Structures are given as structure tokens and as C-alpha cells.
């Protein structure tokens, strides 16, 4: 059967997406890009959920991804509003210059 | 056929993610994130999740990324400064991430047989199946998320509003 693929390929792709997101989260200095790398990590996890939903023939994995999408949408709305409020107060998007709470 | 599609779009996905990491201008990062999300939608379709593929395109690469691009353009975000980030990120974080990748890869390939295989195109969840589960078994969770969305909308409006006293 030419359409058969090991499940680990999907899991590996998902792990790589998550890790690239984590590196981007640590390296990037722009607050919007940092926020986008969180979305990348969420997408990596979603891929693992869908792959397991297929592997175990359970539709609940897909339902879980649906809820992750809903929460990500809510998070993006609130987060971007916070970024706008932050930019209004500090006139910068660089996370290094937002250090009011730093010792 | 399915296998070729998986490799093409998997590679596209990884290329987009790496491009997000390498680009210094936020708008380029946002566009490469859209590439990642669109190719993930194709991968979902291959796994038989047609509703999620549509939702991925509409919600993620449509709504959420439009919001991102809108904010980037509204705030006129320029090229990122090349400051040195926290030392902890470079000393602990990045080697830690590579260690996690290495451990996961080794684990996946030694337990390759335990995870089994996926036959693409053999399993398929229709939108009717999803909605039956969502509106009958998980109705309470669904309603709670609608309240969450409502709270998020109110929060976004309150946070982004300009103070009247200014």
C-alpha cells in the first residue's frame, strides 16, 4: 500500500514545528513576532492531535483541536489589544525596553 | 499520491517555520506563518479532518493572521533591533530545545513500530460527525467557550480603548 505512512513522521513534524516556535520565542526581540511564535507552537501541537485522532480512529482529538483554535483566537484578540496598549504607553515593541518590573 | 502531498506540504511547513525564525521584519514573519498554517490545512485534509482544514484556513490564516498583519501595519513595526537577548535564552534555552529535539527524534525512531502506521485516505470524519459530537456530547464545553469568546471581545475592546482622561 503506497498510502501508508509511519505515525512518527507526523509526530516528528509536530515536534519540529513546536521546537522552532520555542527557539523563535526565545530569540526574537519584537513582541509581535514573539506572539506569532506562540501560535506556531500551538499549530505544532494541533498537528499531533489530528495525527493521533486518525491513528486511534477517535474524533475527539479533532474536537480538542477545535477548542485549541477557539482559545487561540481569544488569546490573539486579547494579546494584540495588550500590545496596542503597551505601544501607546511605551512607544516601543522591543521586549528588552519593556522592563518596568525588572529589578 | 497522498505520500507525495505529505512530503511536499510537510517540507513547505518546515520551510515557513524556519523562515519565520530567520526573517527580521515582522511582516515577513507573519506571511511565512500564513504559509505554515495553509500547508497544515492540507495535512489535516490528508488525515481526514475536513472540518478542521476549513477552520484552519478560515480562523487561523484568515482571522487571526489578518489581526496580526493589521496590528503590525497599525503600529508601523519596523525591522527588529539586533540587541542581545537574555543570556539565559542563549545558554540554557537554545541548547535545551536542541536536546529536546534530539531526544524526541531518538525516541520516535526507536519506538517507530509501537506507534504504528497511518493509512492516508482510510479514515475520515465528516462535518456531521464532528457536529454530532460537539452539540450533543460536549454541548456544555461548547457553550463555555462561547462565553470565553465574549469575555475576550470585551477585554480586547477595554484594553485597546484610548483613555478618555488623556
Amino acid at each position: 500500500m503506497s498510502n501508508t505512512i509511519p505515525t512518527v513522521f507526523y509526530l516528528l513534524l509536530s515536534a519540529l514545528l513546536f521546537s522552532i516556535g520555542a527557539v523563535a520565542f526565545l530569540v526574537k526581540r519584537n513582541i509581535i513576532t514573539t506572539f506569532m511564535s506562540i501560535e506556531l507552537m500551538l499549530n505544532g501541537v494541533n498537528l499531533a492531535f489530528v495525527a493521533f485522532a486518525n491513528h486511534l480512529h477517535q474524533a475527539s482529538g479533532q474536537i480538542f483541536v477545535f477548542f485549541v483554535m477557539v482559545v487561540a483566537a481569544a488569546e490573539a484578540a486579547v494579546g494584540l489589544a495588550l500590545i496596542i496598549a503597551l505601544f501607546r504607553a511605551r512607544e516601543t515593541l522591543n521586549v528588552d525596553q519593556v522592563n518596568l518590573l525588572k529589578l | 499520491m497522498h505520500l507525495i502531498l505529505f512530503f511536499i506540504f510537510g517540507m513547505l511547513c518546515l520551510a515557513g517555520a524556519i523562515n519565520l525564525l530567520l526573517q527580521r521584519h515582522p511582516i515577513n514573519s507573519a506571511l511565512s506563518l500564513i504559509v505554515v498554517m495553509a500547508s497544515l490545512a492540507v495535512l489535516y485534509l490528508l488525515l481526514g479532518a475536513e472540518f478542521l482544514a476549513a477552520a484552519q484556513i478560515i480562523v487561523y490564516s484568515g482571522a487571526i493572521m489578518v489581526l496580526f498583519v493589521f496590528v503590525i501595519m497599525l503600529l508601523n513595526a519596523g525591522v527588529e533591533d539586533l540587541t542581545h537577548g537574555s543570556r539565559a535564552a542563549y545558554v540554557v534555552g537554545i541548547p535545551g530545545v536542541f536536546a529536546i529535539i534530539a531526544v524526541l527524534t531518538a525516541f520516535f525512531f526507536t519506538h517507530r513500530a509501537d506507534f504504528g502506521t497511518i493509512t492516508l485516505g482510510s479514515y475520515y470524519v465528516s462535518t456531521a460527525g464532528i457536529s454530532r459530537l460537539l452539540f450533543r456530547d460536549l454541548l456544555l464545553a461548547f457553550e463555555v467557550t462561547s462565553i470565553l469568546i465574549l469575555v475576550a471581545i470585551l477585554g480586547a475592546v477595554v484594553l485597546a480603548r484610548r483613555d478618555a482622561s488623556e
Side-chain angles (χ1 to χ4, degrees):
Chain A
M1 184 73 99
S2 64
N3 284 338
T4 306
I5 185 167
T7 313
V8 285
F9 283 11
Y10 276 101
L11 297 183
L12 200 60
L13 182 59
S14 140
L16 281 172
L17 281 181
F18 186 88
S19 315
I20 292 172
V23 171
F25 181 79
L26 291 172
V27 169
K28 290 291 188 179
R29 299 288 92 198
N30 187 309
I31 194 164
I32 298 178
T33 325
T34 312
F35 203 46
M36 281 195 283
S37 42
I38 296 176
E39 299 290 331
L40 184 61
M41 287 195 268
L42 284 176
N43 271 286
V45 174
N46 281 352
L47 182 64
F49 269 121
V50 180
F52 274 121
N54 188 310
H55 177 62
L56 303 172
H57 286 213
Q58 291 275 328
S60 7
Q62 300 192 6
I63 299 286
F64 210 104
V65 173
F66 175 76
F67 282 121
V68 170
M69 278 181 187
V70 172
V71 173
E75 173 225 332
V78 175
L80 288 170
L82 275 175
I83 289 174
I84 290 177
L86 178 78
F87 186 78
R88 220 174 254 152
R90 305 297 298 256
E91 294 286 318
T92 180
L93 288 175
N94 190 332
V95 284
D96 286 337
Q97 287 169 24
V98 186
N99 51 7
L100 198 65
L101 287 180
K102 228 176 185 176
L103 282 175
Chain B
M1 183 62 192
H2 287 68
L3 217 54
I4 299 169
L5 278 177
F6 170 76
F7 281 111
I8 290 175
F9 284 97
M11 286 297 159
L12 201 59
C13 207
L14 276 185
I18 290 171
N19 197 39
L20 182 145
L21 185 58
L22 296 181
Q23 291 290 342
R24 303 249 329 276
H25 202 289
I27 199 90
N28 296 341
S29 298
L31 293 178
S32 46
L33 190 56
I34 292 177
V35 171
V36 173
M37 285 164 174
S39 39
L40 272 178
V42 178
L43 294 184
Y44 291 169
L45 212 50
L46 287 177
L47 285 169
E50 57 160 20
F51 174 73
L52 280 185
Q56 173 91 359
I57 293 283
I58 295 170
V59 175
Y60 258 128
S61 39
I64 294 183
M65 289 319 290
V66 164
L67 205 58
F68 270 101
V69 174
F70 178 76
V71 169
I72 290 170
M73 291 189 168
L74 182 73
L75 301 184
N76 199 12
V79 174
E80 224 174 315
D81 298 332
L82 262 189
T83 54
H84 288 287
S86 69
R87 195 168 294 136
Y90 285 96
V91 173
V92 184
I94 296 168
V97 167
F98 280 108
I100 291 170
I101 294 178
V103 169
L104 280 178
T105 312
F107 178 79
F108 286 153
F109 278 93
T110 47
H111 292 77
R112 200 178 156 152
D114 300 342
F115 282 110
T117 56
I118 287 174
T119 307
L120 296 176
S122 70
Y123 176 69
Y124 162 80
V125 179
S126 64
T127 308
I130 289 269
S131 51
R132 207 167 293 130
L133 211 55
L134 202 57
F135 291 115
R136 203 175 56 195
D137 303 343
L138 297 165
L139 186 62
L140 179 67
F142 184 77
E143 295 299 336
V144 169
T145 44
S146 63
I147 294 172
L148 176 76
I149 289 278
L150 185 68
V151 172
I153 294 171
L154 290 178
V157 170
V158 168
L159 282 171
R161 193 185 50 182
R162 196 182 287 277
D163 257 343
S165 57
E166 275 179 36

